[in-house]
Each structure stands twice: as structure tokens, then as C-alpha cells.
Amino acid sequence: MERVSGAILNQWRAEARRQALAEGLDPQEVDWLLQWGAGVDKLQLRLQTQVSLARPWEEAQNLWRRRLTERRPLQYLVGEAPWRQFCLQVRPGVLIPRPETERIIDLVQEQVELTPELAQGNWLDLGTGSGALALGLAHLLPEAQVYGLDCSAVALEVAASNARRYPPPRPIRWRRGDWWQGVLDLKGQLTGLVSNPPYIPRGELPHLQREVRDYEPVLALDGGEDGLESFRVLVQKAPEFLAPGGLWLAEAMAGQAPAVCQLLENQGEYGFITIHSDLAGWERFILARRR
Ligand SMILES: C[S@@+](CC[C@H](N)C(=O)[O-])C[C@H]1O[C@@H](n2cnc3c(N)ncnc32)[C@H](O)[C@@H]1O
């Protein structure tokens, strides 16, 4: 196993953090890469004179150079993204799961505490991507049958591999299809559904930061002309699939929540429509119950 002195790693860390700041990147990425490459956190770095590396030091340094020059997301470079208690596999073609999306699982947990019957039955993650939400649900609700759906074959392959890495008490069932087309057999049978659908208005796509615009899949981002196209499909059809009292919960972009609430109101079959904020205070989550 390769060994490098703590002083060298510390020196590299200071320089890489400086480069990150100069390039407008989050310097915490450096610590994350060190944790990945060296298997040590910054406290251990200070304490250890010699560090036994988890991976070749040259590899971590190369990845950091590519991060700076190509602006490729670090998660794609290392092939992993931390999300809740998991370290999920990611690769091009699959959206990198975001920390704010973790809140969906907390919201489900809060709802289950209020209404314990929600812990049973069938749950669906629409647009599962890396499988993050499906996996979060399946571990939170061991008695439920969780389904994860996506139209992307690459996403489903990665999601299934993540479920093998963190096997839930009850295996997730994966479905491929264009939204509801993939789960027609579940009509009237869902206890709850969650979704983080594509919601960026098409005209904004060219102005996204390079990491997202150049590397993340358009299919996961493009929400149509006004960003609400997927929400219309999810709101309109869900009452056919949700059992009475079933839970509807989705993530939206900051500023979209009132419009999504309006779609739910107009549909007419939902009650208890509420908006919830992310940790930064942005109103990002919309929750409703089928009447
Ligand atoms: C914003 S990503 C969310 C991925 C994952 N749930 C997460 O939170 O990290 C949206 C996902 O919806 C999928 N998707 C887009 N259009 C779809 C459609 N018509 N039917 C099914 N899935 C779709 C994309 O492939 C992508 O994986």
C-alpha cells in the first residue's frame, strides 16, 4: 500500500483549496477527494506523519487536474456520490444525486410518523436516476414494496447496481417506461409516490453552470418550455394510481412551488397541499394527499 507523508498531503491540500477558490469551486471538494483517495479526513491528516493511501496518490492528483481543466463534476470523475447513508455509483448519463433531494426522505418519514399506515403498501419513485430516492425509501420503509421507474436504461442499470451495493430489506422492483406507461399495473395501488422530475425551463439550459450543462444528462434536466411539463403529467395522472389518502411528493426548482400547487388544486382530487423548504430555506418540495 502506497504511503505518503502527512506534510505532503497537507501541502497539496492547501494548494488545491487555493486553486478551487480561484476557479470558483467549493474547496470542500478537495477534502472529499482526499477522503476518497487517501482514505483520511483533514483531522487525521494533521495528526499522521505517514498516511497509508486507499488509492494511488497519482490518481487523485490527476483527477483534481481534470476537475480544474475540464470542469467535469468530481462525482463523475471518481464514479461515486455520497447521498444520505449511501455512497452511490454515478456515471455520465445519470444525474448526480443532490444533497437537497435527501429532504424528500425526511418528509416521508415525518408523514409516516403522522400516518403509520403509509409505511405499508407500494411506493413509487418516478424518474429514479441513480436510484437514490428509491433506495432511501426502501431502507426507511422495510415493509413497503418500492418501485423505481425511469425511461433511461443507463439510469436503471446504475440504480440496480446501487441497490446491490446497499440491499434493502425488501428488493426494489425496477421499471422502464415513459412515466405512467411503465407502471400501468399499479393503478389504484400506490400508497405514495416521490419524484424529482426534470424541471429546468428549456431556455435556461444553455445558461447552467458548465459542470451541469456539459456533463449531466439533458433528459434529467429539461422540464420543457416553462419547466413544468413533467409536473403536469405527474399531477394529472397520479390520482388514478394512488389509493385514497395516498401521498404525492415532489421536488421543484426554487420559485416553482406555487405553480405546482396550482396544478394540484386545479386537478381537483388532492387535499392537504403543502409546501416545504430545503435546508437553505428555499421552497422546493410540494406535498399533497389524494382525497
Ligand atoms: C432530475 S432527475 C432525478 C434523478 C433522481 N431521482 C435524483 O433525484 O437524483 C430526473 C429523472 O427523470 C428521468 N426521466 C425524464 N423523463 C422521463 C420520462 N418521460 N419517463 C420516465 N423518466 C423520465 C430522467 O432519466 C432522470 O433520471
Side-chain angles (χ1 to χ4, degrees):
M1 191 183 281
E2 190 180 356
R3 286 163 72 79
V4 174
S5 87
I8 286 183
L9 291 179
N10 249 323
Q11 210 178 351
W12 181 84
R13 174 176 180 262
E15 172 60 11
R17 284 174 64 88
R18 193 193 58 70
Q19 291 168 329
L21 284 168
E23 292 291 328
L25 304 179
D26 182 350
Q28 283 193 41
E29 287 195 21
V30 175
D31 288 330
W32 189 59
L33 183 59
L34 266 177
Q35 178 77 57
W36 176 86
V40 287
D41 62 26
K42 57 186 184 216
L43 179 68
Q44 289 168 304
L45 263 191
R46 268 190 223 122
L47 298 177
Q48 292 183 15
T49 45
Q50 282 291 312
V51 178
S52 299
L53 301 181
R55 294 181 167 88
W57 178 225
E58 186 61 28
E59 190 182 340
Q61 287 174 292
N62 277 338
L63 291 182
W64 182 245
R65 272 192 289 275
R66 289 184 65 193
R67 174 74 185 99
L68 291 173
T69 52
E70 298 171 19
R71 302 294 292 211
R72 197 181 287 271
L74 198 52
Q75 293 92 331
Y76 286 148
L77 287 168
V78 303
E80 287 176 355
W83 196 86
R84 285 185 79 86
Q85 71 267 47
F86 315 115
C87 181
L88 298 179
Q89 183 202 329
V90 288
R91 67 166 121 117
V94 180
L95 189 96
I96 297 164
R98 306 297 205 266
E100 57 268 29
T101 306
E102 296 183 8
R103 177 98 175 97
I104 289 193
I105 303 299
D106 297 330
L107 287 167
V108 170
Q109 184 167 14
E110 286 165 30
Q111 293 300 308
V112 169
E113 278 161 16
L114 293 170
T115 315
E117 304 88 84
L118 288 175
Q120 319 275 331
N122 299 312
W123 278 78
L124 173 63
D125 171 18
L126 280 153
T128 196
S130 62
L133 285 170
L135 209 48
L137 283 177
H139 282 270
L140 176 73
L141 308 173
E143 288 170 30
Q145 175 60 60
V146 175
Y147 291 80
L149 173 134
D150 211 288
C151 62
S152 152
V154 181
L156 288 172
E157 207 179 290
V158 169
S161 145
N162 281 322
R164 281 192 297 275
R165 198 183 262 199
Y166 299 101
R170 203 166 160 171
I172 297 169
R173 294 187 184 154
W174 304 106
R175 294 289 182 85
R176 186 162 178 211
D178 180 1
W179 298 134
W180 303 108
Q181 294 305 313
V183 284
L184 289 174
D185 56 319
L186 294 179
K187 276 196 181 178
Q189 293 182 42
L190 293 181
T191 303
L193 71 87
V194 297
S195 186
N196 173 21
Y199 51 59
I200 313 277
R202 196 164 290 152
E204 292 185 24
L205 293 175
H207 310 294
L208 294 173
Q209 65 175 136
R210 258 181 82 188
E211 281 82 351
V212 181
R213 187 193 64 209
D214 293 353
Y215 295 105
E216 297 217 73
V218 167
L219 183 64
L221 305 171
D222 184 354
E225 285 312 314
D226 63 355
L228 299 173
E229 227 164 65
S230 314
F231 291 109
R232 289 194 186 89
V233 179
L234 300 190
V235 167
Q236 208 50 41
K237 280 272 182 193
E240 284 178 39
F241 290 81
L242 286 169
L247 187 139
W248 189 101
L249 173 58
E251 176 177 324
M253 195 166 105
Q256 286 177 335
V260 176
C261 286
Q262 197 58 58
L263 291 174
L264 288 159
E265 290 281 1
N266 294 348
Q267 207 283 343
E269 290 184 68
Y270 298 93
F272 302 105
I273 302 169
T274 48
I275 295 177
H276 302 261
S277 300
D278 65 14
L279 294 177
W282 297 102
E283 295 187 332
R284 300 285 303 277
F285 306 98
I286 307 95
L287 194 151
R289 300 287 291 272
R290 186 200 186 295
R291 282 193 217 279

